Amino acid sequence: MNHRRKITVIAATTLLLSLAASSFLLHRVDQLRPQATLDEVLFLSSPAVIKRASLGYDGLMACIYWTRAVQYFGYRHHYHAASYNLLAPLLEITTRLDPHLIIAYEFGASFLSPQPPQGAGEPQRAVELMQYGIQQNPDNWRLYYDLGFVYYMDLRDYKKAAEIFQHGSQLPHAHPFLKILAAQMAQHAGEYDTARMLWSATYENTEDKQIKENAIEHLRALRVDEDVQHLQQAVTRFGERTGRLPENTAELAAAEHLPGIPLDPDGHPYKLTPEGRVEVRAPDDFPFATMGLPPGYTSRPALRDYH
Amino acid sequence: MKSSIPHIASNTFREAVRDRVLYNLIAFALLLSGAAILVGQISIEIEKLVVINLGLTAVSLFGVVIAIFIGIGLVSKEIEKRTLYTVLSRPVRRWEFIVGKFFGLAGTLTVNTFFMAIGVFAALFYVSHRFVRADALIFVALYFIILEFLIVCSLSLLFSSFSSPLLSAVFAFSLFVIGSFSADLRNFAAMAHGVSRWLATGAAYLVPNFSAFNVITSIAHEQPVAGQLILQNTLYALFYAAMALSGAVLIFEYRDLK
């Protein structure tokens, strides 16, 4: 082996070994120092400053901040965090950088509005975000739909929701279902059918896979809530009639002349506890269900650090 | 007498290619293809927006960096290598040398932008699987970016004609940053009074208005660009570049090269 070849082999080997060693050590250092503060720090919180600093390339900056908001929400949501302190500022920066980034309003509201751990539990900030979106994009009927959705689902302000849907339905190219929603809201606010209609409309009016999956999850949860409510009423009736609780759902079904043993959306039979409570067998499969859950149930262990 | 400008321009272009300037295309291709694949996985519904925003921003920033770093050395390098004396000993006038250098650099950047544009459209096709009529608006953004390059090239040459490469880079880059805030500068001027108002207004009109050329965000949202803006931006860029180039010619004409 000549001298030059020898140097090449030694240098190449050293390079590869050093790269492997530094990667390994970095991994170890990361384990010693968890991402303590990075996730919770917004070094620049003023949208105006960030817009200036972007030197006119604010569209790209908006995409970066939107991705950051999605990642922030997704990570904390995954670990069922109890708070989402940076979510609203991240969305505010995103939409100030690019006021026409419609997806940031639509998703942002659905991140901000629901109660933790499903969302940040900040419906009022979701309303503010949507109002800014409508101000910047006054002809976009979808923003009215999303704002009405927040009023209906999270603020339970059915009158306001009906107003917003009505307003949105008058825009050019607005989807006709906004008119139906406005009417439905005025007459049957708070009913399962109305909520089902909203989620079905959400499912049908998006091409995004994740939005569709989210809508399906909500529709499944609605069915569970409705089933459990009906079954619980049947248990009460059974008790009043016989002076005892039914042994199981089969006895309940026979006594109430149900077409068969009641099944949840996954095809599993509902469970009847000795105390007469109707529950789903796999509550983790219905993250948005509000009924049929065991007492004190929390779906997955939350990360202690994320409160 | 036949003009030497085309010869100087083509030499400048060849020299830039020899200096491996077009290697930036590899970095650009990696950046864009990486973003196109990655963003779909880590974000929601902005794949196309990111490809357009990132693609055009990269075209613009890469081009500005090339324009500054090549432009500042166009004159000083020739003096340093003493090749300028050989050129000027032939029937080449000083102004022809400057104008030829300008066209050579502008040509390099146009070719670079052309290849980058192919990359942007390829990435766009990858994420959208089809082209729509509104995608043609990207050509307007690319055209504005080339106009922006003309101004940066002329400014780099202007600074290069009297200053060292390092200072020229600082001046040119500072003007690029200030030019991005020119609208703010005009707003500040409007708020001032008396002499300071006149001075601020003068400064606001003297620095290039780069924000006028940035239509990337609106084009990403498929918002059309007015024909009047295209026309007026074209004229503005041509006049501004002509102004800076004339300044470079004037300075270089009287520069003592001994």
Side-chain angles (χ1 to χ4, degrees), chain A residues 8-259:
Chain A
T8 308
V9 170
I10 293 171
T13 313
T14 312
L15 187 148
L16 290 173
L17 284 176
S18 306
L19 181 67
S22 64
S23 305
F24 173 74
L25 285 169
L26 185 61
H27 182 68
R28 294 295 298 266
V29 170
D30 280 348
Q31 283 175 336
L32 289 172
R33 301 182 60 191
Q35 308 163 323
T37 53
L38 270 180
D39 281 354
E40 279 300 331
V41 173
L42 204 54
F43 292 106
L44 291 172
S45 56
S46 160
V49 169
I50 296 169
K51 200 172 171 70
R52 293 285 186 280
S54 69
L55 292 181
Y57 302 109
D58 36 17
L60 181 61
M61 288 298 276
C63 290
I64 292 169
Y65 270 90
W66 169 235
T67 304
R68 199 175 159 193
V70 170
Q71 289 295 312
Y72 175 80
F73 177 78
Y75 186 71
R76 297 182 70 81
H77 184 256
H78 180 74
Y79 289 110
H80 290 238
S83 68
Y84 294 79
N85 297 333
L86 292 191
L87 187 62
L90 281 171
L91 290 167
E92 195 188 335
I93 292 169
T94 304
T95 51
R96 292 315 187 269
L97 284 169
D98 184 355
H100 304 298
L101 192 62
I102 302 298
I103 192 72
Y105 300 110
E106 292 190 328
F107 261 90
S110 68
F111 291 168
L112 276 172
S113 196
Q115 288 306 310
Q118 301 305 337
E122 297 183 83
Q124 208 49 53
R125 292 195 84 160
V127 167
E128 286 165 20
L129 181 76
M130 297 308 299
Q131 282 171 339
Y132 178 73
I134 288 172
Q135 191 192 329
Q136 297 296 318
N137 308 275
D139 294 334
N140 194 313
W141 64 266
R142 282 175 185 278
L143 297 178
Y144 286 89
Y145 168 71
D146 291 317
L147 180 57
F149 199 95
V150 172
Y151 274 116
Y152 178 81
M153 290 288 176
D154 299 298
L155 291 169
R156 305 281 172 197
D157 187 341
Y158 306 126
K159 192 168 166 261
K160 191 80 184 163
E163 265 176 46
I164 301 285
F165 286 136
Q166 181 63 34
H167 201 139
S169 72
Q170 288 162 359
L171 291 177
H173 313 298
H175 197 289
F177 75 71
L178 276 181
K179 269 202 174 76
I180 303 169
L181 278 175
Q184 183 90 356
M185 195 97 349
Q187 289 170 8
H188 305 286
E191 288 182 4
Y192 286 119
D193 282 344
T194 312
R196 191 175 294 116
M197 196 173 169
L198 275 165
W199 284 114
S200 302
T202 301
Y203 178 85
E204 282 158 19
N205 281 282
T206 182
E207 306 247 315
D208 188 273
K209 205 175 137 220
Q210 292 180 65
I211 302 180
K212 279 189 185 290
E213 280 170 7
N214 187 44
I216 288 172
E217 281 306 324
H218 276 93
L219 286 167
R220 279 157 49 83
L222 276 174
R223 204 190 116 187
V224 168
D225 286 355
E226 200 173 6
D227 285 351
V228 171
Q229 191 188 47
H230 289 155
L231 289 170
Q232 209 62 67
Q233 286 165 352
V235 169
T236 309
R237 279 197 302 274
F238 185 98
E240 285 167 358
R241 212 167 43 239
T242 63
R244 66 176 178 89
L245 292 170
E247 296 267 315
N248 47 40
T249 47
E251 190 187 3
L252 181 70
E256 287 285 316
H257 308 293
L258 301 176

Side-chain angles (χ1 to χ4, degrees), chain A residues 51-53 55-60 62-64 66-68 70-71 97-103 106-107 111 206-211, chain B residues 39-46 49-50 53-58 60-61 64 148 173 176-178 180-181 184 214 216-217 220-221 223:
Chain A
K51 200 172 171 70
R52 293 285 186 280
L55 292 181
Y57 302 109
D58 36 17
L60 181 61
C63 290
I64 292 169
W66 169 235
T67 304
R68 199 175 159 193
V70 170
Q71 289 295 312
L97 284 169
D98 184 355
H100 304 298
L101 192 62
I102 302 298
I103 192 72
E106 292 190 328
F107 261 90
F111 291 168
T206 182
E207 306 247 315
D208 188 273
K209 205 175 137 220
Q210 292 180 65
I211 302 180
Chain B
V39 170
Q41 293 167 12
I42 62 168
S43 197
I44 300 174
E45 274 202 356
I46 54 164
L49 271 182
V50 166
N53 274 311
L54 179 67
L56 294 177
T57 300
S60 171
L61 284 178
V64 166
E148 188 180 63
F173 188 72
F176 173 70
V177 174
I178 295 167
S180 304
F181 295 112
D184 291 328
N214 198 332
I216 298 173
T217 309
H221 290 298
Q223 291 167 346

